[in-house]
């Protein structure tokens, strides 16, 4: 608890964590100053003191209300998170292309083996997106239903990775969450693409390209 009695979260990184990702996330938290993200109260080495946002994750909306409502909330959170800031962005954010290295390596190996795998197609899509980004800006890098929490200040994202790239990438992971039958329902995919297209001002087909590129990268 803080001096005034309000609770806070201590996040202590372990050696097996992706420390570089997490530390870039610390810098993103500091830069956003609570806009769309939980507030960073303090940090030292591999420890962070973070605003306690609550216990109700976006997954609860998915379970209690409906998928469309949860998607609308995630779109609103991303809009706040991607909004302009009068402060200079962190200089150590990871370029989105670096995030896709493993997909490009897998696609190259498959091509050399004479395989026409989904990874080959996804790598071509990723290269097209990365070569022609619509609006490069700081990104969360890992938006999904368990990384959005309902706080007294409204819905906020937690656990950013600190990426720099096309905002469409932040929507991509949502298509695969939760990882169950919903992911393969065409109506659900179309609904999400429509909502994110409206909130981000991107063609829904481009957002679907981000989704398949991210899906194969994750795989």
């Amino acid at each position: 608890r803080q001096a005034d009695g309000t609770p806070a979260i201590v996040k202590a990184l372990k050696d097996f964590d992706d420390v570089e990702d997490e530390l870039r996330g610390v810098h993103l938290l500091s830069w956003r100053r609570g806009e769309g993200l939980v507030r960073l109260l303090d940090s030292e080495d591999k420890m962070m003191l973070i605003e306690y946002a609550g216990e109700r994750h976006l997954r609860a909306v998915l379970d209690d209300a409906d998928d469309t409502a949860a998607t609308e909330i995630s779109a609103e959170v991303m809009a706040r998170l991607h909004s302009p800031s009068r402060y200079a962005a962190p200089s150590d954010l990871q370029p989105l292309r670096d995030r896709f290295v493993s997909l490009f390596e897998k696609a190259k190996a498959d091509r050399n083996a004479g395989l026409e795998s989904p990874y080959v197609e996804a790598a071509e899509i990723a290269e097209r997106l990365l070569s022609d980004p619509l609006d490069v800006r700081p990104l969360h890098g890992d938006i999904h239903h368990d990384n959005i929490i309902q706080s007294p200040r409204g819905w906020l994202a937690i656990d950013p990775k600190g990426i720099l790239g096309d905002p469409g990438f932040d929507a991509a992971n949502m298509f695969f969450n939760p990882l169950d039958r919903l992911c393969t329902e065409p109506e659900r995919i179309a609904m999400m693409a429509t909502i994110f297209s409206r909130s981000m001002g991107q063609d829904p087909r481009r957002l679907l390209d981000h989704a398949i590129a991210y899906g194969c990268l994750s795989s």
Side-chain angles (χ1 to χ4, degrees), residues 79-151:
R80 291 177 59 202
L81 202 153
H82 296 156
S83 64
S85 171
R86 58 192 178 92
Y87 302 100
S91 60
D92 66 338
L93 300 179
Q94 183 184 44
L96 188 53
R97 180 175 290 277
D98 292 356
R99 205 78 177 167
F100 277 89
V101 167
S102 59
L103 175 61
F104 291 137
E105 290 178 347
K106 170 63 175 170
K108 181 179 179 180
D110 284 0
R111 281 194 299 268
N112 291 341
L115 300 175
E116 287 298 322
S117 70
Y119 302 105
V120 173
E121 181 182 6
E124 293 172 353
I125 292 171
E127 178 60 44
R128 186 173 73 246
L129 293 169
L130 291 166
S131 298
D132 185 28
L134 284 186
D135 183 16
V136 174
R137 62 182 57 217
L139 308 177
H140 181 287
D142 192 27
I143 291 280
H144 56 76
H145 293 80
D146 290 325
N147 269 352
I148 298 177
I149 294 183
Q150 188 174 27
S151 80

Coordinates of all heavy atoms in Angstrom, one line a residue, residues 79-151:
A79 N -7.6 3.2 -29.0 CA -7.7 4.6 -29.5 C -7.0 5.5 -28.5 O -6.3 6.5 -28.9 CB -9.1 5.0 -29.8
R80 N -7.3 5.3 -27.2 CA -6.7 6.2 -26.2 C -5.2 5.9 -26.2 O -4.4 6.9 -26.0 CB -7.3 5.9 -24.8 CG -8.7 6.3 -24.7 CD -9.3 5.9 -23.3 NE -8.5 6.5 -22.3 CZ -8.5 6.0 -21.0 NH1 -9.2 4.9 -20.7 NH2 -7.7 6.6 -20.1
L81 N -4.8 4.7 -26.2 CA -3.4 4.3 -26.2 C -2.6 4.9 -27.3 O -1.4 5.2 -27.2 CB -3.3 2.8 -26.1 CG -2.0 2.1 -25.5 CD1 -2.4 0.8 -25.0 CD2 -0.9 2.0 -26.6
H82 N -3.2 4.9 -28.5 CA -2.5 5.4 -29.7 C -2.7 6.9 -29.9 O -2.2 7.4 -30.9 CB -3.1 4.7 -31.0 CG -2.9 3.2 -31.0 ND1 -3.6 2.3 -31.7 CD2 -1.9 2.5 -30.4 CE1 -3.2 1.1 -31.5 NE2 -2.1 1.1 -30.7
S83 N -3.4 7.6 -29.0 CA -3.6 9.0 -29.2 C -2.3 9.8 -29.1 O -1.4 9.4 -28.4 CB -4.6 9.5 -28.1 OG -4.1 9.4 -26.8
P84 N -2.2 11.0 -29.7 CA -1.0 11.8 -29.7 C -0.6 12.2 -28.3 O -1.5 12.3 -27.4 CB -1.3 13.0 -30.5 CG -2.5 12.5 -31.4 CD -3.3 11.6 -30.6
S85 N 0.6 12.4 -28.0 CA 1.1 12.9 -26.7 C 2.0 14.1 -27.0 O 2.7 14.2 -28.0 CB 1.9 11.8 -26.0 OG 2.6 12.3 -24.9
R86 N 2.0 15.0 -26.0 CA 2.9 16.2 -26.1 C 4.3 15.9 -25.7 O 5.1 16.8 -25.7 CB 2.3 17.4 -25.4 CG 2.0 17.2 -23.9 CD 1.2 18.3 -23.3 NE 0.9 18.2 -21.9 CZ 1.6 18.7 -20.9 NH1 2.7 19.4 -21.2 NH2 1.3 18.5 -19.7
Y87 N 4.5 14.7 -25.2 CA 5.8 14.3 -24.7 C 6.5 13.5 -25.7 O 5.9 12.8 -26.5 CB 5.7 13.5 -23.4 CG 5.0 14.2 -22.3 CD1 3.6 14.0 -22.0 CD2 5.6 15.2 -21.5 CE1 3.0 14.7 -21.0 CE2 5.0 15.9 -20.5 CZ 3.6 15.6 -20.3 OH 3.0 16.3 -19.3
A88 N 7.8 13.5 -25.8 CA 8.6 12.7 -26.7 C 8.5 11.2 -26.4 O 8.7 10.9 -25.2 CB 10.1 13.2 -26.7
A89 N 8.3 10.4 -27.4 CA 8.2 9.0 -27.2 C 9.5 8.4 -26.8 O 10.6 8.9 -27.1 CB 7.7 8.3 -28.5
P90 N 9.5 7.2 -26.1 CA 10.8 6.6 -25.7 C 11.6 6.3 -27.0 O 11.1 5.9 -28.0 CB 10.3 5.3 -25.0 CG 8.9 5.6 -24.6 CD 8.3 6.5 -25.6
S91 N 12.9 6.3 -26.8 CA 13.8 6.1 -28.0 C 14.2 4.6 -28.2 O 14.8 4.3 -29.2 CB 15.1 6.9 -27.8 OG 15.8 6.5 -26.6
D92 N 13.8 3.8 -27.2 CA 14.3 2.4 -27.3 C 13.2 1.4 -27.7 O 13.3 0.2 -27.5 CB 14.9 1.9 -26.0 CG 13.8 1.9 -24.8 OD1 12.8 2.6 -25.0 OD2 14.1 1.2 -23.8
L93 N 12.0 1.9 -28.2 CA 11.0 1.0 -28.6 C 11.4 0.1 -29.7 O 12.2 0.5 -30.6 CB 9.7 1.8 -29.1 CG 9.1 2.7 -28.0 CD1 7.9 3.5 -28.6 CD2 8.7 2.0 -26.8
Q94 N 10.9 -1.2 -29.7 CA 11.4 -2.1 -30.7 C 10.7 -1.9 -32.1 O 9.5 -2.0 -32.1 CB 11.1 -3.6 -30.2 CG 11.6 -4.6 -31.2 CD 11.2 -6.0 -30.7 OE1 10.1 -6.3 -30.3 NE2 12.1 -7.0 -30.8
P95 N 11.4 -1.8 -33.2 CA 10.8 -1.7 -34.5 C 10.0 -2.9 -34.8 O 10.5 -4.0 -34.5 CB 12.0 -1.5 -35.4 CG 13.1 -1.0 -34.6 CD 12.9 -1.6 -33.2
L96 N 8.8 -2.7 -35.3 CA 7.9 -3.9 -35.6 C 8.6 -4.9 -36.4 O 8.4 -6.1 -36.3 CB 6.6 -3.4 -36.2 CG 5.5 -4.4 -36.3 CD1 5.2 -5.1 -35.0 CD2 4.3 -3.7 -36.9
R97 N 9.4 -4.5 -37.4 CA 10.1 -5.5 -38.3 C 10.9 -6.5 -37.4 O 11.0 -7.7 -37.7 CB 11.0 -4.8 -39.3 CG 11.7 -5.8 -40.2 CD 12.5 -5.0 -41.3 NE 11.6 -4.4 -42.3 CZ 11.0 -5.1 -43.3 NH1 11.3 -6.3 -43.5 NH2 10.2 -4.4 -44.1
D98 N 11.6 -6.0 -36.4 CA 12.4 -6.9 -35.5 C 11.5 -8.0 -34.9 O 12.0 -9.0 -34.5 CB 13.1 -6.1 -34.5 CG 14.2 -5.2 -35.0 OD1 14.4 -5.2 -36.3 OD2 14.8 -4.4 -34.3
R99 N 10.3 -7.6 -34.7 CA 9.3 -8.6 -34.0 C 9.0 -9.8 -34.9 O 8.7 -10.8 -34.4 CB 8.0 -7.8 -33.7 CG 7.2 -8.4 -32.6 CD 7.8 -8.0 -31.3 NE 7.0 -8.4 -30.2 CZ 7.4 -8.4 -28.9 NH1 8.6 -7.9 -28.6 NH2 6.6 -8.8 -27.9
F100 N 9.2 -9.6 -36.2 CA 8.8 -10.6 -37.2 C 10.0 -11.5 -37.6 O 9.8 -12.3 -38.6 CB 8.2 -10.0 -38.4 CG 6.7 -9.7 -38.2 CD1 6.3 -8.5 -37.6 CD2 5.7 -10.6 -38.5 CE1 4.9 -8.2 -37.4 CE2 4.4 -10.4 -38.3 CZ 4.0 -9.2 -37.8
V101 N 11.2 -11.4 -37.0 CA 12.3 -12.1 -37.5 C 12.1 -13.6 -37.5 O 12.5 -14.3 -38.5 CB 13.6 -11.7 -36.6 CG1 14.7 -12.7 -36.8 CG2 14.0 -10.3 -36.8
S102 N 11.5 -14.1 -36.5 CA 11.3 -15.6 -36.4 C 10.4 -16.1 -37.6 O 10.6 -17.2 -38.1 CB 10.8 -16.0 -35.1 OG 9.5 -15.4 -34.8
L103 N 9.4 -15.3 -37.9 CA 8.5 -15.7 -39.0 C 9.3 -15.7 -40.3 O 9.1 -16.6 -41.2 CB 7.3 -14.7 -39.1 CG 6.4 -14.9 -40.3 CD1 5.7 -16.3 -40.3 CD2 5.3 -13.9 -40.4
F104 N 10.1 -14.6 -40.6 CA 10.8 -14.6 -41.8 C 11.8 -15.8 -41.9 O 12.0 -16.3 -43.0 CB 11.6 -13.3 -41.9 CG 10.7 -12.1 -42.1 CD1 10.9 -10.9 -41.4 CD2 9.6 -12.2 -43.0 CE1 10.0 -9.8 -41.6 CE2 8.8 -11.1 -43.2 CZ 9.0 -9.9 -42.5
E105 N 12.4 -16.1 -40.8 CA 13.4 -17.3 -40.8 C 12.6 -18.6 -41.0 O 13.1 -19.4 -41.8 CB 14.1 -17.3 -39.4 CG 15.1 -16.2 -39.2 CD 15.7 -16.2 -37.8 OE1 15.2 -17.0 -37.0 OE2 16.7 -15.5 -37.6
K106 N 11.5 -18.7 -40.5 CA 10.7 -20.0 -40.7 C 10.2 -20.0 -42.2 O 10.3 -21.1 -42.8 CB 9.4 -20.0 -39.8 CG 8.4 -21.0 -40.1 CD 8.9 -22.4 -39.9 CE 7.8 -23.5 -40.1 NZ 8.3 -24.8 -40.2
A107 N 9.8 -18.9 -42.7 CA 9.4 -18.9 -44.1 C 10.5 -19.2 -45.1 O 10.4 -19.9 -46.1 CB 8.8 -17.5 -44.5
K108 N 11.7 -18.7 -44.8 CA 12.9 -18.9 -45.6 C 13.3 -20.4 -45.5 O 13.6 -21.0 -46.6 CB 14.1 -18.1 -45.1 CG 15.4 -18.3 -45.9 CD 16.5 -17.4 -45.3 CE 17.8 -17.6 -46.1 NZ 18.9 -16.8 -45.6
A109 N 13.2 -21.0 -44.4 CA 13.5 -22.5 -44.2 C 12.5 -23.3 -45.0 O 12.9 -24.3 -45.7 CB 13.5 -22.8 -42.7
D110 N 11.2 -22.9 -44.9 CA 10.2 -23.6 -45.7 C 10.4 -23.5 -47.2 O 10.2 -24.5 -47.9 CB 8.8 -23.2 -45.3 CG 8.4 -23.7 -43.9 OD1 9.2 -24.4 -43.3 OD2 7.3 -23.4 -43.5
R111 N 10.7 -22.3 -47.6 CA 10.9 -22.1 -49.1 C 12.1 -23.0 -49.5 O 12.1 -23.6 -50.6 CB 11.2 -20.6 -49.4 CG 9.9 -19.8 -49.5 CD 10.2 -18.4 -50.1 NE 11.2 -17.7 -49.3 CZ 10.8 -16.8 -48.4 NH1 9.5 -16.6 -48.1 NH2 11.8 -16.1 -47.7
N112 N 13.2 -23.0 -48.8 CA 14.4 -23.8 -49.1 C 14.1 -25.2 -49.1 O 14.7 -26.0 -49.9 CB 15.5 -23.5 -48.1 CG 16.1 -22.1 -48.3 OD1 15.9 -21.4 -49.3 ND2 16.8 -21.6 -47.2
A113 N 13.1 -25.7 -48.3 CA 12.7 -27.1 -48.3 C 11.6 -27.4 -49.4 O 11.2 -28.5 -49.4 CB 12.2 -27.4 -46.9
G114 N 11.3 -26.4 -50.1 CA 10.3 -26.6 -51.2 C 8.8 -26.7 -50.7 O 8.0 -27.2 -51.3
L115 N 8.6 -26.1 -49.5 CA 7.3 -26.2 -48.9 C 6.5 -24.9 -49.1 O 7.0 -23.8 -49.0 CB 7.4 -26.4 -47.4 CG 8.1 -27.7 -46.9 CD1 8.2 -27.6 -45.4 CD2 7.3 -28.9 -47.4
E116 N 5.3 -25.0 -49.5 CA 4.4 -23.8 -49.7 C 3.5 -23.8 -48.4 O 2.3 -24.1 -48.5 CB 3.5 -23.9 -50.9 CG 4.3 -23.7 -52.2 CD 4.9 -22.3 -52.3 OE1 4.2 -21.4 -51.8 OE2 6.0 -22.2 -52.8
S117 N 4.1 -23.4 -47.3 CA 3.4 -23.4 -46.0 C 2.7 -22.1 -45.8 O 3.0 -21.1 -46.4 CB 4.4 -23.7 -44.9 OG 5.3 -22.5 -44.8
P118 N 1.8 -22.1 -44.8 CA 1.1 -20.8 -44.4 C 2.2 -19.8 -44.0 O 1.9 -18.6 -44.1 CB 0.2 -21.2 -43.2 CG 0.0 -22.7 -43.4 CD 1.2 -23.2 -44.0
Y119 N 3.3 -20.2 -43.5 CA 4.3 -19.3 -43.0 C 4.9 -18.5 -44.2 O 5.3 -17.3 -44.0 CB 5.4 -20.0 -42.2 CG 4.9 -20.8 -41.1 CD1 4.8 -22.2 -41.1 CD2 4.5 -20.1 -39.9 CE1 4.3 -22.9 -40.0 CE2 4.0 -20.8 -38.8 CZ 3.9 -22.2 -38.9 OH 3.4 -22.8 -37.8
V120 N 5.1 -19.1 -45.3 CA 5.6 -18.5 -46.5 C 4.6 -17.3 -46.9 O 5.1 -16.2 -47.2 CB 5.8 -19.5 -47.7 CG1 6.2 -18.7 -48.9 CG2 6.9 -20.5 -47.3
E121 N 3.4 -17.7 -47.0 CA 2.4 -16.7 -47.4 C 2.3 -15.5 -46.4 O 2.2 -14.3 -46.7 CB 1.0 -17.3 -47.5 CG -0.1 -16.3 -47.9 CD -1.5 -17.0 -48.0 OE1 -1.6 -18.2 -47.7 OE2 -2.4 -16.3 -48.5
A122 N 2.3 -15.9 -45.1 CA 2.2 -14.9 -44.0 C 3.4 -14.0 -44.0 O 3.3 -12.8 -43.8 CB 2.1 -15.6 -42.6
A123 N 4.6 -14.5 -44.3 CA 5.8 -13.7 -44.4 C 5.7 -12.7 -45.5 O 6.1 -11.5 -45.4 CB 7.0 -14.6 -44.5
E124 N 5.1 -13.1 -46.6 CA 4.9 -12.1 -47.7 C 4.0 -11.0 -47.3 O 4.2 -9.9 -47.7 CB 4.4 -12.9 -49.0 CG 5.5 -13.9 -49.5 CD 4.9 -14.8 -50.6 OE1 3.7 -14.7 -50.8 OE2 5.7 -15.5 -51.3
I125 N 2.9 -11.4 -46.6 CA 1.9 -10.4 -46.2 C 2.6 -9.5 -45.2 O 2.4 -8.2 -45.3 CB 0.7 -11.1 -45.5 CG1 -0.1 -11.9 -46.6 CG2 -0.2 -10.1 -44.8 CD1 -1.2 -12.8 -46.0
A126 N 3.4 -10.0 -44.2 CA 4.1 -9.2 -43.2 C 5.0 -8.2 -43.9 O 5.1 -7.0 -43.5 CB 4.8 -10.1 -42.2
E127 N 5.8 -8.7 -44.9 CA 6.7 -7.8 -45.6 C 6.0 -6.7 -46.3 O 6.4 -5.5 -46.3 CB 7.5 -8.6 -46.6 CG 8.5 -7.8 -47.4 CD 9.5 -7.1 -46.6 OE1 10.1 -7.8 -45.7 OE2 9.8 -5.9 -46.8
R128 N 4.8 -7.0 -46.9 CA 4.1 -5.9 -47.5 C 3.6 -4.9 -46.5 O 3.7 -3.7 -46.8 CB 2.9 -6.5 -48.3 CG 2.1 -5.5 -49.1 CD 1.0 -6.2 -49.9 NE -0.1 -6.6 -49.1 CZ -0.5 -7.9 -49.0 NH1 0.3 -8.9 -49.5 NH2 -1.5 -8.3 -48.2
L129 N 3.1 -5.3 -45.4 CA 2.6 -4.4 -44.3 C 3.8 -3.6 -43.8 O 3.7 -2.4 -43.5 CB 2.0 -5.2 -43.2 CG 0.7 -5.9 -43.5 CD1 0.3 -6.8 -42.4 CD2 -0.5 -4.9 -43.8
L130 N 4.9 -4.2 -43.5 CA 6.1 -3.5 -42.9 C 6.7 -2.5 -43.9 O 7.3 -1.5 -43.4 CB 7.1 -4.5 -42.4 CG 6.7 -5.4 -41.3 CD1 7.6 -6.6 -41.1 CD2 6.6 -4.6 -40.0
S131 N 6.6 -2.8 -45.1 CA 7.2 -1.9 -46.1 C 6.3 -0.7 -46.4 O 6.8 0.2 -47.0 CB 7.5 -2.7 -47.5 OG 8.4 -3.8 -47.2
D132 N 5.1 -0.8 -46.0 CA 4.2 0.3 -46.3 C 3.3 0.6 -45.1 O 2.0 0.4 -45.2 CB 3.3 0.0 -47.5 CG 2.4 1.1 -48.0 OD1 2.8 2.3 -47.7 OD2 1.3 0.8 -48.5
P133 N 3.9 1.0 -44.0 CA 3.1 1.2 -42.8 C 2.2 2.4 -42.9 O 2.6 3.4 -43.6 CB 4.1 1.4 -41.7 CG 5.3 2.0 -42.4 CD 5.3 1.3 -43.7
L134 N 1.0 2.4 -42.4 CA 0.0 3.5 -42.5 C 0.4 4.7 -41.6 O 0.3 5.8 -41.9 CB -1.4 3.0 -42.3 CG -2.0 2.3 -43.4 CD1 -3.5 2.0 -43.1 CD2 -1.9 3.0 -44.7
D135 N 0.7 4.3 -40.3 CA 0.9 5.4 -39.3 C 1.8 4.9 -38.2 O 1.3 4.3 -37.2 CB -0.5 5.8 -38.8 CG -0.4 6.9 -37.8 OD1 0.6 7.6 -37.8 OD2 -1.4 7.1 -37.1
V136 N 3.1 5.0 -38.3 CA 4.0 4.5 -37.3 C 3.9 5.3 -36.0 O 4.0 6.5 -36.0 CB 5.5 4.5 -37.9 CG1 6.4 4.1 -36.8 CG2 5.6 3.7 -39.1
R137 N 3.7 4.5 -34.9 CA 3.6 5.1 -33.6 C 3.9 4.1 -32.5 O 3.9 2.9 -32.8 CB 2.2 5.8 -33.4 CG 1.0 4.8 -33.5 CD -0.3 5.6 -33.3 NE -0.4 6.6 -34.3 CZ -0.9 7.8 -34.1 NH1 -1.4 8.1 -32.9 NH2 -1.1 8.7 -35.0
P138 N 4.1 4.5 -31.3 CA 4.3 3.5 -30.2 C 3.1 2.6 -30.0 O 1.9 3.1 -30.0 CB 4.5 4.4 -29.0 CG 5.0 5.7 -29.5 CD 4.3 5.9 -30.8
L139 N 3.3 1.4 -29.8 CA 2.3 0.3 -29.7 C 2.4 -0.4 -28.4 O 3.5 -0.5 -27.8 CB 2.4 -0.7 -30.8 CG 2.4 -0.1 -32.3 CD1 2.5 -1.2 -33.3 CD2 1.1 0.7 -32.6
H140 N 1.3 -1.0 -27.9 CA 1.4 -1.9 -26.8 C 2.1 -3.1 -27.1 O 3.0 -3.5 -26.3 CB -0.1 -2.2 -26.4 CG -0.2 -3.0 -25.1 ND1 0.1 -4.4 -25.1 CD2 -0.6 -2.7 -23.9 CE1 -0.2 -4.9 -23.9 NE2 -0.6 -3.9 -23.1
G141 N 1.7 -3.8 -28.1 CA 2.4 -5.0 -28.6 C 1.9 -6.3 -28.1 O 2.3 -7.4 -28.6
D142 N 0.9 -6.3 -27.2 CA 0.3 -7.6 -26.7 C -1.1 -7.3 -26.1 O -1.4 -7.8 -25.0 CB 1.2 -8.2 -25.6 CG 0.9 -9.6 -25.2 OD1 0.3 -10.3 -26.1 OD2 1.2 -10.0 -24.1
I143 N -1.9 -6.7 -26.9 CA -3.3 -6.4 -26.5 C -4.1 -7.7 -26.6 O -4.2 -8.3 -27.6 CB -3.9 -5.3 -27.3 CG1 -3.3 -4.0 -27.1 CG2 -5.4 -5.2 -27.1 CD1 -3.8 -3.3 -25.8
H144 N -4.8 -8.1 -25.5 CA -5.8 -9.2 -25.5 C -6.7 -9.0 -24.3 O -6.5 -8.1 -23.5 CB -5.1 -10.6 -25.6 CG -4.1 -10.8 -24.5 ND1 -4.5 -11.1 -23.2 CD2 -2.8 -10.8 -24.4 CE1 -3.4 -11.3 -22.4 NE2 -2.4 -11.1 -23.2
H145 N -7.7 -9.9 -24.2 CA -8.7 -9.8 -23.2 C -8.2 -9.8 -21.8 O -8.8 -9.2 -20.9 CB -9.8 -10.9 -23.4 CG -10.5 -10.8 -24.6 ND1 -10.0 -11.2 -25.8 CD2 -11.8 -10.2 -24.9 CE1 -10.9 -11.0 -26.8 NE2 -12.0 -10.4 -26.2
D146 N -7.1 -10.4 -21.5 CA -6.6 -10.5 -20.1 C -5.6 -9.4 -19.8 O -5.1 -9.3 -18.7 CB -5.9 -11.9 -19.9 CG -7.0 -13.0 -19.8 OD1 -8.1 -12.7 -19.3 OD2 -6.7 -14.1 -20.3
N147 N -5.3 -8.6 -20.8 CA -4.4 -7.4 -20.6 C -5.2 -6.1 -20.6 O -4.6 -5.0 -20.8 CB -3.3 -7.4 -21.7 CG -2.1 -8.2 -21.2 OD1 -2.0 -8.6 -20.1 ND2 -1.1 -8.3 -22.1
I148 N -6.5 -6.2 -20.5 CA -7.3 -5.0 -20.3 C -8.2 -5.1 -19.1 O -8.8 -6.1 -18.9 CB -8.2 -4.8 -21.6 CG1 -7.3 -4.6 -22.9 CG2 -9.1 -3.6 -21.4 CD1 -8.1 -4.4 -24.1
I149 N -8.1 -4.1 -18.2 CA -8.7 -4.2 -16.9 C -9.6 -3.0 -16.7 O -9.3 -1.9 -17.1 CB -7.7 -4.2 -15.8 CG1 -6.9 -5.6 -15.9 CG2 -8.3 -4.1 -14.4 CD1 -5.9 -5.7 -14.7
Q150 N -10.8 -3.2 -16.0 CA -11.7 -2.1 -15.7 C -11.3 -1.5 -14.4 O -11.3 -2.1 -13.3 CB -13.1 -2.6 -15.6 CG -14.2 -1.5 -15.4 CD -15.6 -2.1 -15.5 OE1 -15.9 -3.2 -15.1 NE2 -16.5 -1.2 -15.9
S151 N -10.9 -0.2 -14.4 CA -10.4 0.5 -13.3 C -11.3 1.6 -12.9 O -12.2 1.9 -13.7 CB -9.0 1.1 -13.6 OG -9.1 2.3 -14.3

